Amino acid sequence: MAGVASSPAPPSRKSSRTMVSGWGETAPELEPGTILAGRYEILTVLGTGGMGSVYKAQDRELDREVALKVIRPELARNAGIVERFKQELRLSHKVTHRNVVRMYDLAEDAGLRFVTMEMVNGRDLRSILEERGKLPGDEAVGILQQICLALQAAHEVGILHRDLKPQNVMLDEIGRVVVMDFGLARTIEGDGMTQSGALVGTMEYMSPEQALGKELDQRSDIFALGLIGYEMLTGDMPFRAESAIASLLKRTRERAAPVSSSDATIPGALSDIIGRCLESDVNLRYKTVGEVLHDLEDWRGKTAAASLHFHADVPSTGMSGRWLLAVGGGVLVIALAALTPWLIHRSSGSHTASQAASTPTISLAIMPFYNASGDPSLAWLGSSLAEMLGTDIGQSAQVRMVSQDRLQQVLSDLHLSATSQVDIPTLRRVAEFTSAQTVIFGQYIAAGTEIRITTTVLDLAHGTRSVVTTDVPQQKDLLASVDKLAADLRGKISADPKVLEELKAHAERPSTTSVDALHDYEDGVRLARAGDNLKAQQQFQAAATNDPDFALAISALAEVYENLGHDDLAQTYSRRAVELSDTLPAQERYLIEANNARITNDTQKAISAYQQLAAANPANTDVQFALAGLYEQDGNFTAAKQRLAAVLASDPKNVEALLASGRVAIKGGDPNSGLDFLSRALPLAIELDNQEEKASILQATGIAYGILNRPDDALHNFQESLAIKQQIGDKRGAASSLNEIAQIEDHQGKPEEALAAFKQALALGREIGDQAGVGSVLIDTGTFYHDHGKPADALQDYTQALEIERQ
């Protein structure tokens, strides 16, 4: 074979530096000037991957530049791997086309095996898309046409690509498109990797039939072509899901959303071409690349792809959405919660940029009231009074009400009990961390059937205080008495007639007249906040029994059923809450509708409901935070940033909002900005001694450093995060950190340490029954095994991950 010396001599090397080859073995890193096989002079390194390192070299015998891929030594000793490269070489020699990279030779020198191939001076399509986001229609179609020509040349001689992706598409300096890595999947077939049930190729670009381990033909490459076209035109990917394996399974069940649904400026005819490439049913897909090429040429010639024909049963629209951005080998998952003073979880948003940017003139926190009577049967009233006053005082664009969830979090961070009596220094400390200027606090005491409530309004900005005393004759009079108290407090909060009028106009009260139902509901909220869904379910059920029309309690019951995994019951109760909400005030109705949309996985409807909430109360940072979370979940990072900016404008020490802002910036492709937010969040979390948030911030910081190619900094943060999670018993979080650590260690050439970390992550996930987490780690271990020449182990892990997602 040309290029292989008959009596190989050790290659000349100019450095003793080494590069990691995998499984603890190292191989010399080839410095410029190194000569291999007596003819190939190393010029510079181009990159390093799982199979080895690629160099730019000069073929001195033929006086031309070549790309030279050195195969990792332990892989080069694997007969199956070597045969794979030989088969790729044989197959590539069958395809001679200007849009297909040419492979020249497989050679060996002093134990180093290497492949030489055509040197393409340019950039791969992946790096171009990462830099530009998306491409204009004409440019994208031009690239697709050249990929089609490459595929057509291969298909004509019976070769499938099976791993077509942007990383395998190069654009040279004169605009020529070159497709690389032909034939590799075909060689895997010989190793048994295309047998029934096997997964071959890169999961993000697999066809549905590849995912199901079925027999493949050229239509599988056409599906991958459609994915590349979709990404070039929109900057997004169809079949969005929480993980690569979930996306893979999704495309076996659903049709892709039309390209035009992501960007209305894309012509319908071009959208239809991409859509036909992406049909999950192979019989509805293009049969040949030539047909695709013909329609692309027609579109470019402005004939609107007249030859397109779609199956009559195929609707014109499909599922829409964006992929969550995977960074650091894992997927950043957003846990969205429904909110408001009357719901269980935290969140927030705003209806327009101008309103979101406006800062309220009054910031108000209402503390839980102190039970001065000492009667434990009245303990529930402490938080309930704060909750009721929060909505009964009303809403105004000039008043920002600190949510009870936010307040409870700050109290927890400051190690304060919600049932304790607080002094002025403590109130100032709470105000500092909630950015509140006015604090309402008080106490209540029972004398026979009567309850006396003493309420204090403390204006920290002006150093003034006002006291209001309210007598409740009997518990049944509580709601009416709170209405009167709220009216009295409005005048103590603001002297501006317009603000008072707006507050009164937007005052609300709980949608029940039953004090017993309200008592049960408040107990349920408290238990749900503490994470005790089983007991919370009992209390919400009792509230619904005491008042069968208490829509908000029924909606909360639906949410805890969902948290407990009872999806059928969750949807049943959620629908019932929606039915009862027709006559409720707008804000409460929108909240119930938003909760129902979330339970039924209708993100767009949930966004719409929260947008209406934001329109009704633009100063509500809870609504803004919820809307930011929904936008983040939907992949609309720009909108999420705007809502989070509004939250931080009102509450700059909100650690959750700072962490979310950092996460969104990272996912939006700006890790440096993400680090800015995280560096602001970390000292606050340390000051508050919130170990859980500190660990989350460190984890996100590690991900940002990983993207910035600072592996040492990334590893340090992941290890600190892991130590905290292990200390506080967060096994799920520890598994996530171990998974990230494993990938960094593998990148640093420590495969044995990496594999050990992967196995620890899997063990923790299985211990706590975190199936989703186990599936995610299995995908990463599968990739690890694949990169290190262990296809059987890779297949086993991929198959297990797919089975978890199917279940």
Side-chain angles (χ1 to χ4, degrees), residues 60 97 100 197 228 245 304 377 423 427 477 491 500 506 547 634 685-686 742 748:
R60 301 167 114 189
H97 194 277
V100 178
I228 293 173
I245 199 74
S377 68
D423 54 19
L427 290 172
D477 303 311
L500 293 175
H506 292 90
D547 182 356
D634 195 44
I686 293 172
Q748 292 182 325

Side-chain angles (χ1 to χ4, degrees), residues 471-612:
D471 290 326
V472 184
Q474 298 184 56
Q475 281 199 34
K476 66 182 180 64
D477 303 311
L478 178 64
L479 298 178
S481 297
V482 171
D483 280 348
K484 180 180 181 303
L485 174 59
D488 292 338
L489 292 176
R490 287 186 206 116
K492 308 295 183 182
I493 294 169
S494 175
D496 187 332
K498 291 183 179 179
V499 173
L500 293 175
E501 183 180 348
E502 191 173 6
L503 286 171
K504 184 177 180 180
H506 292 90
E508 296 177 3
R509 58 181 298 172
S511 58
T512 181
T513 57
S514 169
V515 174
D516 289 337
L518 181 62
H519 180 180
D520 293 326
Y521 176 79
E522 291 298 342
D523 279 347
V525 169
R526 175 179 52 81
L527 290 163
R529 279 182 180 142
D532 194 340
N533 286 295
L534 284 171
K535 290 182 179 178
Q537 178 266 323
Q538 295 172 4
Q539 293 306 119
F540 289 136
Q541 188 73 66
T545 300
N546 281 317
D547 182 356
D549 295 329
F550 193 176
L552 202 54
I554 295 171
S555 180
L557 179 61
E559 187 165 0
V560 294
Y561 270 128
E562 184 194 35
N563 293 340
L564 292 168
H566 300 296
D567 292 345
D568 291 344
L569 285 171
Q571 294 189 24
T572 297
Y573 281 105
S574 185
R575 285 195 297 269
R576 174 59 179 159
V578 171
E579 291 170 359
L580 291 170
S581 68
D582 286 345
T583 60
L584 295 180
Q587 180 165 336
E588 196 167 345
R589 184 173 70 253
Y590 293 148
L591 285 167
I592 291 171
E593 290 175 354
N595 196 40
N596 181 64
R598 189 182 56 78
I599 288 174
T600 57
N601 297 314
D602 191 341
T603 303
Q604 294 304 316
K605 189 172 181 180
I607 288 174
S608 176
Y610 276 109
Q611 285 174 333
Q612 293 178 82

